Coordinates of all heavy atoms in Angstrom, one line a residue:
V966 N -3.2 14.4 -7.6 CA -3.5 13.4 -8.6 C -4.2 14.0 -9.7 O -5.2 14.7 -9.6 CB -4.4 12.2 -8.0 CG1 -4.6 11.2 -9.1 CG2 -3.7 11.6 -6.8
S970 N -11.1 12.9 -12.9 CA -12.1 12.7 -14.0 C -11.8 11.4 -14.8 O -12.7 10.8 -15.4 CB -12.1 13.9 -14.9 OG -10.9 14.1 -15.5
F981 N -18.5 -1.0 -15.4 CA -17.5 -0.9 -14.4 C -17.9 -0.1 -13.1 O -17.1 0.4 -12.4 CB -16.3 -0.3 -15.0 CG -15.8 -1.0 -16.2 CD1 -15.7 -0.3 -17.4 CD2 -15.4 -2.3 -16.2 CE1 -15.2 -0.9 -18.6 CE2 -15.0 -2.9 -17.4 CZ -14.9 -2.2 -18.5
E1001 N 8.7 10.3 -0.9 CA 9.9 11.0 -1.5 C 10.6 10.1 -2.6 O 11.3 10.6 -3.4 CB 10.8 11.4 -0.4 CG 10.2 12.5 0.4 CD 11.1 13.0 1.5 OE1 12.3 12.8 1.4 OE2 10.6 13.7 2.4
D1009 N 5.1 1.4 1.7 CA 3.8 1.7 2.2 C 2.7 0.8 1.5 O 1.8 0.4 2.1 CB 3.5 3.2 1.9 CG 2.5 3.7 2.8 OD1 2.2 3.1 3.9 OD2 1.9 4.8 2.5
S1014 N 3.6 -2.0 -8.1 CA 4.7 -2.5 -9.0 C 5.4 -1.2 -9.5 O 4.8 -0.4 -10.2 CB 4.2 -3.3 -10.2 OG 3.6 -4.5 -9.7
K1017 N 9.9 1.4 -14.8 CA 10.8 2.4 -15.3 C 10.1 3.7 -15.5 O 8.9 3.7 -15.8 CB 11.5 1.9 -16.6 CG 12.4 0.8 -16.4 CD 13.0 0.4 -17.8 CE 13.7 -0.9 -17.7 NZ 14.2 -1.3 -19.1
G1019 N 9.5 6.3 -13.6 CA 8.6 6.9 -12.6 C 7.2 6.3 -12.6 O 6.3 6.9 -12.0
I1025 N -6.3 -2.8 -8.2 CA -7.5 -2.3 -7.6 C -8.6 -3.3 -7.6 O -8.7 -4.1 -8.5 CB -8.0 -1.0 -8.3 CG1 -6.9 0.0 -8.5 CG2 -9.3 -0.4 -7.7 CD1 -6.4 0.6 -7.3
I1042 N 3.4 15.0 -7.5 CA 2.3 14.9 -8.5 C 2.3 13.5 -9.1 O 3.3 13.0 -9.5 CB 2.5 16.0 -9.6 CG1 2.5 17.4 -9.0 CG2 1.3 15.8 -10.6 CD1 2.8 18.4 -10.1
A1043 N 1.1 13.0 -9.2 CA 0.9 11.7 -9.9 C -0.1 11.9 -11.1 O -1.2 12.4 -10.9 CB 0.3 10.7 -8.9
W1044 N 0.3 11.5 -12.3 CA -0.5 11.6 -13.4 C -1.1 10.2 -13.8 O -0.3 9.3 -14.0 CB 0.3 12.1 -14.6 CG 0.7 13.6 -14.6 CD1 0.0 14.6 -15.0 CD2 1.9 14.1 -14.0 NE1 0.7 15.8 -14.8 CE2 1.9 15.5 -14.2 CE3 3.0 13.5 -13.4 CZ2 2.9 16.3 -13.7 CZ3 4.0 14.3 -13.0 CH2 4.0 15.7 -13.2
G1049 N -8.0 0.6 -16.3 CA -8.7 -0.5 -17.0 C -8.7 -1.8 -16.3 O -8.3 -1.9 -15.1
I1057 N -1.4 -3.4 -23.0 CA -0.7 -2.1 -23.2 C 0.8 -2.3 -22.9 O 1.2 -3.2 -22.3 CB -1.3 -1.0 -22.3 CG1 -1.1 -1.4 -20.8 CG2 -2.8 -0.8 -22.6 CD1 -1.3 -0.2 -19.8
D1058 N 1.6 -1.3 -23.3 CA 3.0 -1.2 -22.9 C 3.0 -0.2 -21.8 O 2.8 1.1 -22.0 CB 3.8 -0.7 -24.1 CG 5.3 -0.5 -23.7 OD1 5.6 -0.6 -22.5 OD2 6.1 -0.3 -24.6

Side-chain angles (χ1 to χ4, degrees):
V966 180
S970 62
F981 306 122
E1001 294 185 14
D1009 202 19
S1014 298
K1017 293 179 188 175
I1025 307 295
I1042 301 173
W1044 290 271
I1057 67 165
D1058 180 351

